[in-house]
Amino acid sequence: MLNVAIASHREFLPADAPEQKLFLMLKLRPTKEVSTTRPSTAFTFVIDTSGSMYEIVTGVPQPTGRTYQVDGNYYHEVTGGESKIDIVIESLRQLIHSGKLDRSDRISIVQFDDRASTIIGLTPATEVSKLENAIAKLRNFSGGTRMGLGMHHALNAIADRDMTCRRTLLFTDGQTFDEEQCRDLAKQFATNNIPITALGVGEYNEELLISLSDTTGGRLLHIVPENATGTQVSIADLPKAIAEEFTQAQQEVITNLAMTVKTVKGVKLSRIVRAYPSQAEFPLIQEPYPIGNAAANDETVFILEFAVESRAASRVRIAQLGLTYDVPGQNRRGELPPQNLVLQFVAGSDFAAQVDREVMDYVQQCNIAQLVSEATKVAEQNPLRAEELLETARRMTQRIGNQAMTESLTEAQNELRKTRRISSGTSKTIKMGSKGKTVRIGGDINDVILEDQIRQLSGT
């Protein structure tokens, strides 16, 4: 049901050396038989309905001369433009009329401001009139921003749906008052294997959205009101982005992946990262570790990082790795029996210097997010250091072939050189983009950055 390939970045490690890193690539691909199945889906849209969602972002608005009050603030009424909530509503309408959904696809809609409610529970996508009525009600709300309340409603809506591909799409345009509640709830989403796709526009907290996506194995999209460049998504293209997210869920024929890793004394698992088709770093809270889903007709690639203490020359088992998973299209569960990870420790450095290039290319791709995050932190105090980090990340993306991310990093570098800082919008673009869609590695990459340089710059 699931083809699995395992490879380490080195077949040999030096004996009697201080603590070393070992990178293990886990590559999953559903079999052809499983890839022809179609999972049912349960999709919850969690929509920010706070007052700022009524800001006009597209079109050429014309003032009417009238004012109105929302949440204690006064606004000038205009016509001819579209607000953020208008575009979200139209995006959801286009989705249910797209012809891509059938009765096995179920949708629920949750709104949140400083309160939250489930506008409609899980409903077959073919019941269009019911869904349209629910979507229209999104305009009936306004208030502050408490995202955690909306997440709580979403979790209640789909947590008990077994043997289906579950997902929450979260759209927000501002800061929330309940960050810790959001982070705690994300752990429950992860336990129930409900990835969160986070879409942010405006002055949202990108660190929070990145945390929600990482914890649950979801995805990130940075939405901009104007024309998009690099890894950005224009709000005018929101209908397309939402439709693509639903299509991706329909292709995830393997769900509820859970990994168990048992290490021997002197070996510690320090990191699990999904490297492709998008990046997410999973918290090592409790085994088995939930690591999301796998799509049909493509690979899903993970990198596991181990810290290995000094050992004498020998051939030893350092860890065991196992997987369990669901195949919702066949209403079956599957497993990968425990696999032994055996490593040879050798005297001298000749054998140990041999590196699996594919594994290291994925490691490099995972480290781009670390480099970008560090650059945004030090930019104001040390712009030269920030530029060095961005240049290293840009060279990585260029050699890997991630053109959109290369473009975003180039623009960030240009801004840093001109202003000696990285603006909030640019920071969101490159931080969210580095965790977004990644590139499948095929074959060797010429002139790759040396492993020692990666370790020095990223701390890996």
Side-chain angles (χ1 to χ4, degrees):
M1 293 188 288
L2 186 64
N3 293 322
V4 180
I6 300 174
S8 59
H9 86 292
R10 282 178 172 164
E11 186 177 352
F12 307 98
L13 284 183
D16 302 314
E19 184 175 278
Q20 304 175 73
K21 297 291 187 183
L22 178 72
F23 300 103
L24 186 74
M25 178 181 69
L26 175 67
K27 189 184 295 185
L28 309 179
R29 188 179 184 111
T31 62
K32 291 183 178 179
E33 177 190 7
V34 170
S35 293
T36 59
T37 64
R38 160 77 152 81
S40 61
T41 65
F43 226 98
T44 298
F45 292 93
V46 182
I47 307 300
D48 188 340
T49 55
S50 60
S52 55
M53 286 290 290
Y54 293 86
E55 176 191 1
I56 301 297
V57 289
T58 63
V60 183
Q62 299 295 324
T64 65
R66 294 188 294 270
T67 61
Y68 60 97
Q69 186 179 10
V70 177
D71 308 327
N73 296 316
Y74 287 91
Y75 297 88
H76 297 285
E77 185 181 70
V78 297
T79 61
E82 285 188 301
S83 68
K84 287 176 261 189
I85 198 67
D86 290 332
I87 296 172
V88 169
I89 287 171
E90 180 57 28
S91 299
L92 295 178
R93 282 176 174 163
Q94 288 191 30
L95 176 67
I96 63 174
H97 287 286
S98 66
K100 297 179 179 180
L101 285 59
D102 60 31
R103 191 169 182 80
S104 66
D105 299 307
R106 293 178 178 267
I107 293 173
S108 66
I109 299 175
V110 171
Q111 64 78 214
F112 71 91
D113 36 67
D114 51 4
R115 301 179 181 181
S117 63
T118 301
I119 299 178
I120 188 170
L122 283 176
T123 302
T126 49
E127 297 185 17
V128 174
S129 60
K130 287 184 180 180
L131 291 169
E132 278 192 325
N133 290 336
I135 292 168
K137 291 178 182 178
L138 286 168
R139 284 198 181 90
N140 297 344
F141 302 92
S142 183
T145 308
R146 291 190 180 275
M147 186 189 301
L149 298 178
M151 290 176 61
H152 183 74
H153 277 262
L155 186 62
N156 287 340
I158 57 176
D160 62 348
R161 303 290 299 186
D162 293 327
M163 284 297 172
T164 190
C165 185
R166 299 174 291 182
R167 184 164 303 182
T168 290
L169 188 145
L170 173 65
F171 186 96
T172 185
D173 77 331
Q175 305 281 339
T176 183
F177 291 101
D178 53 1
E179 284 190 26
E180 287 308 310
Q181 182 182 357
C182 293
R183 295 177 192 273
D184 289 342
L185 282 165
K187 297 173 186 177
Q188 297 182 48
F189 275 77
T191 301
N192 287 277
N193 189 45
I194 306 171
I196 295 176
T197 295
L199 294 81
V201 60
E203 293 303 316
Y204 62 90
N205 182 344
E206 70 270 23
E207 293 294 344
L208 175 60
L209 296 195
I210 289 171
S211 174
L212 300 184
S213 173
D214 274 351
T215 300
T216 64
R219 294 182 62 222
L220 293 162
L221 294 175
H222 175 49
I223 311 296
V224 294
E226 63 278 357
N227 292 331
T229 60
T231 58
Q232 299 170 344
V233 177
S234 171
I235 198 166
D237 292 329
L238 187 60
K240 179 182 176 182
I242 290 178
E244 288 177 350
E245 197 63 28
F246 217 110
T247 299
Q248 173 68 22
Q250 291 174 326
Q251 294 174 348
E252 290 177 352
V253 294
I254 298 290
T255 64
N256 206 27
L257 282 162
M259 179 187 297
T260 299
V261 182
K262 300 296 183 184
T263 58
V264 301
K265 185 178 179 180
V267 179
K268 180 182 178 182
L269 174 67
S270 54
R271 194 181 182 201
I272 300 177
V273 187
R274 185 180 63 215
Y276 176 83
S278 61
Q279 191 179 138
E281 183 161 351
F282 300 93
L284 304 179
I285 299 173
Q286 183 177 354
E287 283 190 304
Y289 306 117
I291 57 172
N293 306 329
N297 306 311
D298 200 1
E299 296 173 350
T300 303
V301 181
F302 300 89
I303 294 293
L304 282 67
E305 181 180 324
F306 295 89
V308 183
E309 293 181 0
S310 176
R311 287 181 179 272
S314 58
R315 180 175 175 82
V316 295
R317 186 190 74 184
I318 66 168
Q320 268 192 339
L321 183 151
L323 283 175
T324 58
Y325 53 90
D326 293 342
V327 186
Q330 297 181 346
N331 196 32
R332 296 170 62 189
R333 300 203 71 212
E335 69 167 342
L336 172 71
Q339 304 291 303
N340 290 326
L341 175 58
V342 178
L343 203 59
Q344 182 80 43
F345 292 84
V346 295
S349 59
D350 291 342
F351 289 113
Q354 299 174 8
V355 173
D356 186 309
R357 200 70 266 162
E358 181 184 8
V359 178
M360 286 309 301
D361 291 343
Y362 276 118
V363 172
Q364 288 184 11
Q365 190 160 204
C366 292
N367 285 337
I368 290 169
Q370 291 179 304
L371 295 171
V372 167
S373 178
E374 181 64 19
T376 59
K377 288 178 183 176
V378 305
E380 290 195 15
Q381 290 76 30
N382 193 343
L384 291 178
R385 173 63 173 166
E387 187 172 342
E388 177 187 5
L389 292 165
L390 291 180
E391 174 59 17
T392 301
R394 189 193 66 80
R395 287 166 55 203
M396 287 183 181
T397 60
Q398 189 174 42
R399 292 183 177 118
I400 290 168
N402 191 336
Q403 184 175 352
M405 191 60 199
T406 301
E407 183 180 339
S408 290
L409 288 169
T410 300
E411 292 183 0
Q413 286 180 290
N414 292 337
E415 178 183 282
L416 184 60
R417 294 186 187 114
K418 291 178 182 178
T419 66
R420 313 303 291 169
R421 61 186 295 271
I422 298 175
S423 66
S424 173
T426 299
S427 176
K428 288 177 171 60
T429 295
I430 58 176
K431 285 162 73 175
M432 299 277 278
S434 67
K435 305 284 286 189
K437 186 172 177 58
T438 52
V439 175
R440 179 175 170 180
I441 302 298
D444 293 343
I445 298 175
N446 293 329
D447 193 22
V448 294
I449 296 173
L450 296 176
E451 184 181 347
D452 288 343
Q453 186 178 358
I454 296 172
R455 184 183 299 112
Q456 180 182 7
L457 289 169
S458 67
T460 302

